[in-house]
Amino acid sequence: MDNATAPSIKDPTTVAFETLDSVFAHWQPDAAGLAWDCIFVLPIWVKAWWSSFGQDEDLYLISVRQAQRIIGIAPLLRKNQSARLIGDHNVCDNLDFIVAPAQSAEFYSTLIDQLRQDGITRLDLGLIRPDSSAYTGLLPEADKMDCRIRCEPAAISYELELPGSWRAYLDSLSGKERHEIRRKIRRLDSAGRVNYRTVDDPAPAPEAMETFLQLFKMNRPDKAAFMSNQMDAFFMDLAVNLAAHGLLKLHFLELDNKPIAAALCFDYQSTRYLYNNGYDSGYSALSVGLLSKVFSIKEALASEIKTYDFLNGSEPYKGRLGGRPVTLYQCRLELP
């Protein structure tokens, strides 16, 4: 950042109210030093969520500027005297603010003042990571400003720091798990002609997502019930738009040219996010659901991916495949 135009701690802050389109326009690489670290609050994600689920919500998008540069964005919804981060736990695994780290204190103090001025008495953060800006920046500032903070462990996420090669990854697993993966792969290979392919371009994304959604619904009755028409439209809109920005990685496991399992992943900032998975339950004896995830890890190892994020949920396979638990916190602020 140019020192001649960099915000000074003495520069006053100003507040503006944004639209979804204006927030989208602010999403640029290293724009004003903003850290767009949370994939679930990227403008693509927020717009897809709003289009599918936001009909009964009021947008409350606040930006804070210092020396005419944006130092943070609060992607909020408002209802009466309460505000919350945009999104919900069904489709957003964790949430956060978009903040320039060097101006975190100025952003959050200005935000809290604005919320109080607007009559907001409660701010719900949903699930946040311990390394999020909300946890490391907002909570300390809120404590200094006499807010009442309720923050408690509420969920577990799993993530895996990837080693340099497939062999190194297998060696990092327990001997039993390494043996089981190799055995399952051999059994699948003996069942027919196996192919693993990735869809990441915008043009084939809609058709590929139709196949994914079919496999998702074939997996389990509860998954079929979850994938309502509204949820179906959200998944399609989200995947197609993420593909347009180069973030989609939709992996298919095929046997004799038939798709039998799929892993819906997104690649962002050197992390692969395993968002969801589906498979034809008729092939469950071949462990195709697990193997589709294993192969997505193997494919990530061949890319520039450093971290594999299994996201929320305490399913045992995540630990068996090398994931380490990350505690997520449910946090709420009262602003007297």
Side-chain angles (χ1 to χ4, degrees):
M1 185 181 291
D2 184 353
N3 289 332
T5 58
S8 163
I9 194 170
K10 297 180 181 179
D11 290 326
T13 56
T14 58
V15 171
F17 291 91
E18 305 285 341
T19 66
L20 286 175
D21 287 337
S22 65
V23 169
F24 208 108
H26 297 318
W27 181 37
Q28 300 292 336
D30 198 35
L34 293 177
W36 297 86
D37 292 336
C38 180
I39 191 172
F40 302 104
V41 294
L42 293 184
I44 308 170
W45 204 291
V46 170
K47 288 190 105 174
W49 185 90
W50 176 259
S51 177
S52 294
F53 306 111
Q55 296 85 351
D56 298 325
E57 306 277 1
D58 291 326
L59 285 171
Y60 186 54
L61 307 176
I62 298 174
S63 66
V64 176
R65 287 170 169 79
Q66 194 176 56
Q68 302 306 310
R69 287 198 170 201
I70 290 182
I71 63 170
I73 299 171
L76 300 173
L77 300 168
R78 177 176 182 172
K79 185 173 184 179
N80 300 323
Q81 294 177 298
S82 297
R84 68 181 181 90
L85 284 167
I86 292 176
D88 65 78
H89 69 277
N90 287 320
V91 295
C92 304
D93 285 54
N94 53 82
L95 299 171
D96 204 0
F97 297 87
I98 303 99
V99 185
Q103 280 78 46
S104 173
E106 292 81 14
F107 169 71
Y108 285 121
S109 62
T110 302
L111 175 64
I112 291 170
D113 283 340
Q114 184 65 43
L115 295 176
R116 284 171 165 163
Q117 180 180 317
D118 290 346
I120 300 297
T121 60
R122 189 173 84 172
L123 175 61
D124 189 349
L125 305 180
L127 289 176
I128 59 174
R129 288 175 55 100
D131 56 358
S132 67
S133 176
Y135 192 92
T136 62
L138 172 60
L139 297 187
E141 198 65 29
D143 184 55
K144 288 191 289 186
M145 297 179 71
D146 298 322
C147 299
R148 292 192 292 270
I149 301 170
R150 182 176 180 181
C151 197
E152 54 192 24
I156 296 292
S157 182
Y158 280 81
E159 62 186 28
L160 165 67
E161 296 304 317
L162 294 175
S165 68
W166 172 243
R167 181 172 181 175
Y169 167 68
L170 290 177
D171 287 344
S172 72
L173 303 178
S174 69
K176 178 181 177 181
E177 194 60 39
R178 183 165 57 249
H179 170 76
E180 280 298 301
I181 287 175
R182 286 170 170 159
R183 184 182 66 82
K184 288 177 171 66
I185 291 174
R186 288 195 301 269
R187 186 175 58 184
L188 179 63
D189 286 338
S190 68
R193 187 170 63 257
V194 177
N195 182 48
Y196 193 75
R197 65 183 179 92
T198 301
V199 175
D200 52 14
D201 290 329
E207 183 178 355
M209 277 301 297
E210 290 288 356
T211 302
F212 168 80
L213 292 168
Q214 291 171 11
L215 289 168
F216 185 90
K217 294 171 187 176
M218 294 168 69
N219 194 167
R220 297 195 312 257
D222 60 320
K223 282 193 169 186
F226 170 81
M227 194 56 70
S228 63
N229 290 338
Q230 184 183 39
M231 193 64 71
D232 192 307
F234 168 76
F235 268 67
M236 179 65 74
D237 186 25
L238 178 67
V240 168
N241 283 287
L242 286 173
H245 288 81
L247 305 184
L248 176 69
K249 294 291 180 180
L250 179 51
H251 306 288
F252 287 101
L253 177 58
E254 299 172 335
L255 186 63
D256 295 331
N257 295 322
K258 178 183 179 181
I260 56 174
L264 177 59
C265 299
F266 307 123
D267 284 3
Y268 182 65
Q269 292 188 346
S270 300
T271 296
R272 174 158 298 174
Y273 296 89
L274 174 62
Y275 188 60
N276 234 307
N277 170 254
Y279 63 90
D280 185 336
S281 58
Y283 293 86
S284 58
L286 293 174
S287 305
V288 296
L290 178 70
L291 288 178
S292 66
K293 303 177 185 80
V294 169
F295 291 147
S296 74
I297 294 173
K298 184 177 183 179
E299 198 276 341
L301 285 162
S303 306
E304 298 297 320
I305 301 301
K306 304 300 182 185
T307 304
Y308 190 96
D309 195 331
F310 293 95
L311 293 176
N312 290 11
S314 55
E315 296 90 338
Y317 81 84
K318 296 179 179 181
R320 296 202 314 268
L321 294 184
R324 298 290 181 264
V326 176
T327 300
L328 302 180
Y329 293 87
Q330 184 84 40
C331 297
R332 179 182 298 165
L333 277 60
E334 303 290 339
L335 287 64

